[in-house]
Amino acid sequence: MANPVTAGLAQAGGFFAFALDTIRAFPRRPFQFRELVQQAWFIASVSILPAALVAIPFGAVISLQLGSLTRQLGAQSFSGAASVLAVVREAGPIVTALIIAGAGASAICADLGARKIREELDAMQVLGIDPIQRLVVPRVIASMFVAVLLNGLVSVVGVAGGYFFNVIMQGGTPGAYLNSFQALGQLADLVSGEIKALCFGAIAALVACYLGMNAKGGPKGVGDAVNQTVVFAFMLLFAVNFIIVAIYFQVVPQKGS
Amino acid sequence: MGVEVTVEGLTKSFGRQLIWGDVSLTLPAGEISVLLGPSGTGKSVFLKTLVGLLKPEAGSIWIRDKDLPKLSEHDLYEVRKLFGVLFQDGALFGSMTLYDNIAFPLREHTKKSEREVRDIVMEKMEMVGLLGAEKKLPGEISGGMRKRAGLARALVLDPEIILFDEPDSGLDPVRTAYLNQLIVDLNQQVEATFLIVTHDINTARTLPDNIGLLYHRHLAMFGPREMLLCSEEPVVRQFLNAQRVGPIGMAEEKDADELAAEAESGQEIPPLPPVPVQLPPSNGLPRRTQRPPGEWCRQNGVTPPPGSFEGVDWTVPDEGTVYSSRYAQPVDGDQDTVTLRRREG
Ligand SMILES: Nc1ncnc2c1ncn2[C@@H]1O[C@H](COP(=O)(O)OP(=O)(O)OP(=O)(O)O)[C@@H](O)[C@H]1O
Ligand SMILES: [Mg+2]
């Protein structure tokens, strides 16, 4: 067990087995609708405000950077398109990932970890209730749902921030901003952003539930699990982001090229 | 009437660390058994293995005609309905009130109406003395109350086997005495098979019908209470009498040097203390599975230490129900009050 390679592989194997168990438990009745609503509300309440607050400076930074870059390249008229696309395609999902992993997943992990060390989960199993069906499935769905919402929110706030900085601060024209966007943007951009968010929500919640339910060693174990959740969720989300982007450019034909 | 549990050759490890190996014992139906052992010997792991939360590497656990470790997940959930488990801190669901916690198994597993649920929940809450605390959350009550609430929840589906993980840890002596009395009374009423893990020597000496001792990765001994309390086996003797002289050391077992030094220093092993009488149910009537004091000693030709059984003459077969001289004899009427007053005194 001391070997870090085997330990890491065992951890990964355990995670995949857990993810499969969760997927198999999706259709099982009775569906925990109340838990789903509560969890969605809970995750939304811890993540919406930070997401909005992060989205504004993020949108601003991107539009400032791209605004000056496009000016240097002599392609000012495209600065609107560039910053909107950057926000919708990348910044939105990335901010969503940051918030979902940092705020949502860590809260889920802390909650389940505390239940684990209080032996609530064991008690549940002894009472004949499967914690995966009862607790994990609603959390995963709630997290996916909130991630999609967050991504929408972040995109809107980011684009608005970008518009503000580009048009008002850097003196771009509103017409050029919107026009250029029409020329390059397409619905697939938003769809791909939302698909990313959906995957991020699912993965972050699965990681959080898995580590929380396997916490051991008292309160310190829960702290460790929360810490690992944030780290692993970030790593996985960025890796998955890369994969989805690679697929996106293969599958969706780009305008103007 | 409880169910017999037979464990054969059970072995459990985590990775390469063997917790215990080749454990075989039978929990007789309807009797109270206590499992003892130094900290970290895997008593909690044993309980979790018994209910199928942990999978053993080898061995069987027979309950009726089912071998637990070999059951599918689905069958396991069925067999678990025979069990009630009281976890160390009650393991109540933190987001639910005590009432909802106790009603939880009924709402999940039965089609009872809320009225019926209410009746059962109230009955169990009264049984454990928690009436009036229905609306409290687990975070708002004391440890002893949490344990009693956990017990009420474990009882609500009328289990045939009840497992207690350290019901007395973290309780003061008075609460421990009350809880022990509750356990005995409960056993008299529901007649389920009880297995109690405890560190409290007094509990272990007076409560059970059988005692088991886990030590050094195996089951050192399991058998009737009097057998262990009269045993000269060094480990059993040391543990049941909470002595320092013997093979158990502070960390784990003592090594050869320490034992030699101990022998050299000529430390006398103190004599076995008298065997106490068993704690009787509070209505004074014996439990169905309770045996008269001294019966095992007499049948097996073992002489208990002098002063055992509080002066009851253990050499003659006991026909009546006079199991304890300390408590009033159960003849009629208001004996309850007498026993209660005596106990408090
Ligand atoms: N899930 C687990 N994974 C790995 N090791 C475990 C696990 N559960 C328990 N152990 C180990 O098994 C051993 C026995 O633990 P257990 O909790 O059963 O002891 P115990 O006899 O109940 O002790 P105590 O009297 O202190 O409660 C310990 O060394 C513990 O570290
Ligand atoms: Mg324990």
Side-chain angles (χ1 to χ4, degrees), chain B residues 86 89-90 92 98 102 125 128-134 136-138 140-152 171 175 179:
Chain B
L86 172 59
D89 201 31
L92 299 170
L98 292 195
I102 298 169
M125 289 192 89
V128 299
L130 278 179
L131 280 185
E134 299 92 36
K136 294 246 163 62
L137 287 171
E140 303 167 353
I141 58 176
S142 73
M145 286 169 89
R146 274 201 293 275
K147 284 188 197 206
R148 281 182 284 153
L151 185 55
L171 295 191
R175 298 280 146 65
L179 196 76

Side-chain angles (χ1 to χ4, degrees), chain A residues 32 35 124 129-136 138, chain B residues 104 108:
Chain A
Q32 298 300 320
E35 183 87 13
M124 207 172 231
I129 309 289
D130 178 8
I132 291 193
Q133 189 228 345
R134 171 61 62 117
L135 300 174
V136 176
Chain B
F104 181 84
E108 290 295 328

Side-chain angles (χ1 to χ4, degrees), chain A residues 88-170:
Chain A
V88 172
R89 276 187 194 163
E90 271 315 309
I94 292 286
V95 169
T96 306
L98 287 173
I99 301 295
I100 276 287
S106 59
I108 291 177
C109 177
D111 175 33
L112 289 187
R115 291 179 192 231
K116 163 76 186 176
I117 62 161
R118 282 202 306 259
E119 296 182 307
E120 273 186 41
L121 301 183
D122 289 337
M124 207 172 231
Q125 271 172 289
V126 171
L127 294 172
I129 309 289
D130 178 8
I132 291 193
Q133 189 228 345
R134 171 61 62 117
L135 300 174
V136 176
V137 170
R139 279 167 176 71
V140 171
I141 298 177
S143 166
M144 290 162 74
F145 174 72
V146 174
V148 169
L149 278 188
L150 273 190
N151 187 49
L153 174 83
V154 171
S155 299
V156 169
V157 173
V159 169
Y163 180 86
F164 178 80
F165 275 92
N166 190 281
V167 174
I168 299 184
M169 308 286 286
Q170 293 184 320

